[in-house]
Amino acid sequence: MVPFAGWTLPLHYGQGHLQSHLHTRRHCSLFDVSHMLQTLVYGRDRIRFMESLVVGDIAELKPGQGTLTLLTNEKGGITDDLIVTNTSEDHLYVVSNAACADKDLAILRDRAAQLQATGSDVHLEVSDNALLALQGSPSMARVLQAGLSDDLAKLSFMNSISTTVFGVPGCRVTRCGYTGEDGVEISVPAARAVELAEQLLGVPDVWLAGLAARDSLRLEAGLCLYGNDIDETVTPAEAGLMWTLGRRKRVGLTSVGPAIRPHMAILGPEGRPVGRWGQWGWHGLTGAGWAPFTSPYPHIPGTVTSGCPSPCLGKNIAMGYVEAAHSRAGTELTVEVRKKQHPAIITKMPFVPTQYYMAK
């Protein structure tokens, strides 16, 4: 047992670190990660509250969907990395690092008080649930499914449900983890955590694993440890975590039919621009975080910036800015041309291969 962030935690169990690490990769292991801070955010302004603090696009999360995001300081340094889930109930579920719990809570509470003072509806509740992580392919899914009435195959990575696990109601199961393996984190009422752990450990494939295996597994998976790989002196760009930012991206588009021209709207499946026009923008230079923002420029998300028929390809090509969530090549969108929607596809650039001469 070793001290960690005010807790006493197991470094390893009887089988030792190496065997525990390999067992997680080959079968599955149970980690007690109840030291992590779990916070529930309620109120009609909970999305706006969270987006005023983190870099992720929380408003775009579907019910039950979560994302890794970053809490940053006024210089762009990483104050903490945390997972925010937009639950299917009436709150956000936030899991953050134990070592950052005190400063994170102070920041969350201070920001909530600021918004409450201006009439916003937001309030916080710190959960006293335990948190168990069952990690490992391929055994995890088989082991957990035996105690679930829900179909685990329908729960994708970074999605979450509230359910009963091995007879324990009121559990939140999130398909995520810190090992690079298929796994879940189970937020369970503290009074029944031991009961649930014993049920899981009753399966021979499941071993207990401690901090040593957790650290080597996450390092093999290339995952950051706060305080080691990232801290308040490191920016998301330096840490290679730019993908966590809910931000616009320049993309290529191809289509057939009427030509796509600058300033035309790029629309998502729901028929709205794939960007939040005139609502919230990142005021990073001022340190104001997310604040009301209307851009006078054409390169806001959901807008075509360049477009013409391609003589070489015989189809329309265009560039524009969309929210990062819609930027993957092959994504099907539409572009509004003369008040009619026409199909368009996100396409890798260059549209025509370049022929630059590269000296050998």
Side-chain angles (χ1 to χ4, degrees):
M1 303 292 285
V2 295
F4 181 84
W7 297 73
T8 300
L9 300 179
L11 189 64
H12 58 81
Y13 292 86
Q15 65 272 18
H17 164 225
L18 179 60
Q19 289 303 314
S20 181
H21 177 115
L22 294 174
H23 185 85
T24 307
R25 292 276 186 245
R26 295 167 181 167
H27 301 283
C28 70
S29 297
L30 183 67
F31 299 80
D32 182 356
V33 290
S34 301
H35 56 292
M36 304 286 282
L37 174 66
Q38 301 175 71
T39 309
L40 311 180
V41 185
Y42 293 90
R44 66 174 181 273
D45 297 311
R46 59 188 181 273
I47 300 291
R48 183 163 67 92
F49 161 77
M50 190 55 61
E51 288 199 339
S52 72
L53 293 170
V54 301
V55 300
D57 195 348
I58 309 304
E60 288 300 311
L61 295 176
K62 298 179 177 65
Q65 184 181 19
T67 185
L68 176 70
T69 189
L70 304 172
L71 186 65
T72 55
N73 60 28
E74 67 280 358
K75 295 181 180 180
I78 300 171
T79 301
D80 196 9
D81 60 315
L82 54 160
I83 292 178
V84 178
T85 299
N86 179 24
T87 72
S88 298
E89 292 76 36
D90 60 348
H91 63 276
L92 299 176
Y93 171 59
V94 183
V95 179
S96 45
N97 288 303
C100 301
D102 290 342
K103 69 175 181 179
D104 285 3
L105 267 179
I107 291 169
L108 291 170
R109 287 170 172 163
D110 182 62
R111 184 59 177 149
Q114 291 175 13
L115 290 178
Q116 290 164 356
T118 63
S120 294
D121 178 25
V122 60
H123 61 278
L124 309 177
E125 178 183 314
V126 176
S127 173
D128 61 358
N129 276 11
L131 192 62
L132 303 177
L134 186 65
Q135 301 283 304
S137 309
S139 298
M140 183 283 297
R142 175 179 54 79
V143 170
L144 189 62
Q145 186 61 76
L148 283 183
S149 55
D150 295 273
D151 184 0
L152 191 61
K154 295 181 179 178
L155 188 67
S156 300
F157 180 64
M158 293 306 294
N159 280 262
S160 176
I161 55 171
S162 180
T163 187
T164 296
V165 184
F166 285 97
V168 180
C171 294
R172 175 159 297 282
V173 176
T174 305
R175 202 155 199 166
C176 67
Y178 198 46
T179 63
E181 297 293 326
D182 183 21
V184 295
E185 291 184 353
I186 308 170
S187 179
V188 52
R192 303 193 68 178
V194 172
E195 173 189 340
L196 178 56
E198 288 176 342
Q199 289 268 16
L200 294 169
L201 291 168
V203 180
D205 266 5
V206 183
W207 287 8
L208 278 168
L211 281 181
R214 185 169 162 85
D215 189 53
S216 55
L217 288 161
R218 70 90 191 169
L219 186 54
E220 282 188 344
L223 301 174
C224 293
L225 174 62
Y226 194 87
N228 285 40
D229 310 297
I230 52 176
D231 57 31
E232 296 198 7
T233 69
V234 178
T235 67
E238 292 169 331
L241 293 171
M242 293 297 286
W243 59 270
T244 63
L245 275 64
R247 57 201 287 271
R248 66 186 185 192
K249 292 186 70 175
R250 182 175 63 92
V251 296
L253 295 159
T254 56
S255 74
V256 295
I260 302 175
R261 300 296 185 186
H263 312 301
M264 290 179 173
I266 306 170
L267 309 175
E270 303 83 9
R272 70 169 187 84
V274 285
R276 285 172 290 157
W277 294 56
Q279 292 182 14
W280 294 87
W282 180 251
H283 287 225
L285 294 179
T286 66
W290 289 97
F293 170 73
T294 302
S295 173
Y297 305 108
H299 48 274
I300 60 175
T303 312
V304 173
T305 54
S306 296
C308 72
S310 167
C312 291
L313 300 179
K315 64 176 73 173
N316 302 314
I317 60 173
M319 290 192 296
Y321 284 85
V322 301
E323 292 169 335
H326 298 279
S327 64
R328 186 183 298 275
T331 300
E332 297 180 356
L333 302 172
T334 61
V335 175
E336 190 173 73
V337 183
R338 294 188 288 276
K339 297 185 179 180
K340 292 185 178 181
Q341 295 181 25
H342 296 272
I345 298 176
I346 300 291
T347 305
K348 290 183 179 180
M349 296 184 286
F351 299 104
V352 176
T354 58
Q355 301 294 333
Y356 304 131
Y357 173 72
M358 305 297 289
K360 295 181 180 179

